[in-house]
Amino acid sequence: MKDLLKAFDLSTPYYNISTGQENWVGNSKKIIDIKSPVNNDCIGTIQLADNHSYKVVVSKAKEAFPIWKSMPAPQRGDIVRQFGDALRKEKENLAKLVSYEMGKSLQEGYGEVQEMIDICDFAVGLSRQLYGLQMHSERPNHRMFEQWHPLGIVGIISAFNFPVAVWAWNATLAWICGNVCVWKPSEKTPFSAMACQEIFKKILKQNALPEGISNIIIGDSDIGKLMASDYDIALISATGSTKMGKSVSQTVGKRLGKSILELGGNNAIIVTQEADLDIAVPAIVFGAVGTAGQRCTSTRRLIVHKSCYQNLLDKLIHAYKQLRIGNPLNEKNHVGPLIDVDAVNDYLKTIEEAQKQGGNLVYGNNVLKGEAFKSNCYVMPTIIEAHSNMSIVRHETFAPILYVFSYDTLDEAIFIQNNVPQGLSSSIFTQNMQQVETFLSNSGSDCGIANVNIGTSGAEIGGAFGGEKETGGGRESGSDSWKAYMRRQTCTVNYGKNAHLAQGIVFNL
């Protein structure tokens, strides 16, 4: 793993990297060892940023903003294109680092880096499509139109489960819109983030551009609070728990700043009596156990028509028994570790509470032991038969725990799905078009993502990503999400020889 760090010019112990200088500064006494959940080995040592480091970072960003925003958007897009090309060259190394530091399977690590490449491609095209509208004015010889301008500094707070991709969703769009970025990655996965920063820093240097266009600061929640309260940061895009998001929203709201919130998910799949189970089972299993259940889009609830309930449950148990759990760098393994022992404890406590509330454990509930699992972070994916009055199913636990419900009518299934505080991703499996359209109607899923015959995980970058209710309402990545990173300006030009007031008002002097 040391060879991987050297590939990105990262040495260990590695101290506060928040200033973008060779001799990192920072007076924080908070020094932490970053250990891999794969084998508990220490990847490196990080000195967390302090208030002084934070001010240095923001100062660099403020200095770079006038230079960056003055470049034509297509030229900014070309810088992002170069970043995407660099990611292609570094895909294997970066994927391995992500997998080792976070614990997701290597295939998922490759997928995460591919998401970064894809959003770079999307942003490059978008850099020539930052369109405004032209409207017909009610006044003669007037032209009315809208245009879009960059906001300034965009602050990005990302979570450990996608240590690099979610940053790229935000940063690439923010960059082509003319903004500069300050990124606070999770302190649980800093080295993957630093590798990305080193890659982009080389691109900036090759193009004689200031490093302050892209900034990184490794810190704990205190740094996040500084970002949320900072008037110099025009937009905060925060990914994480609902609790964190509520705090960010309140703090940013007090200063009337802008925020994009991507928070908790409690995602459900509905399987109707007319579903193709051969399609449904692989999607359910990956949705429930992929990334060891640590995706915001992980499948946490399965709502199955009573006519196929037992058949599907038997198929799931059979599939779970085929899962290989172990070192995620071994591509034969399906499931890697949870991020740390705290996550393991949450897994155990949740299963215990579910059983207390009447849930029937049908598979799992085991922390794996032995030399291959010496980090104590490997757990068995778990299936629990549930019922609607179990309060535990309304809460998100970042672990591979799947609750299974039965239902009689589609309306009942949709009610069960929607009857949680979160509203991120949802799916239905059916070959019945009427059921499909009901699920997609305004009486159907209340989530930001609604899928048919595919699972809840695996969103593509072309569509806007985000959810409703306690998921936060934010949208990142594709579609017209770029508008969140810009300010709209309505302009009216009088090219005539007379002064006309709107609404036909006459004001004679």
Side-chain angles (χ1 to χ4, degrees), residues 269-277 280 284 302-309 312 407-411 413-414 427-436 438-439 452-453:
I269 291 177
I270 296 172
V271 179
T272 79
Q273 65 272 40
E274 299 188 52
D276 183 337
L277 298 187
I284 294 165
L302 180 62
I303 306 163
V304 187
H305 191 268
K306 62 180 183 180
S307 64
C308 57
Y309 179 88
L312 178 56
Y407 76 91
D408 289 309
T409 68
L410 183 58
D411 287 344
I414 291 172
S427 298
I428 190 170
F429 281 82
T430 180
Q431 301 298 310
N432 183 307
M433 185 59 67
Q434 186 177 39
Q435 293 175 340
V436 168
T438 300
F439 177 76
V452 178
N453 293 327

Side-chain angles (χ1 to χ4, degrees), residues 343-395:
V344 174
N345 290 333
D346 286 342
Y347 161 87
L348 294 171
K349 290 177 182 177
T350 299
I351 296 171
E352 181 182 7
E353 182 60 31
Q355 290 178 295
K356 285 182 180 179
Q357 294 181 16
N360 177 38
L361 176 69
V362 296
Y363 189 84
N365 189 24
N366 188 24
V367 180
L368 302 180
K369 303 295 183 180
E371 181 62 24
F373 311 111
K374 65 180 182 179
S375 67
N376 295 315
C377 293
Y378 293 85
V379 302
M380 287 186 66
T382 296
I383 301 172
I384 298 174
E385 291 184 286
H387 46 81
S388 58
N389 62 352
M390 290 171 56
S391 61
I392 192 69
V393 302
R394 294 173 54 82
H395 301 280

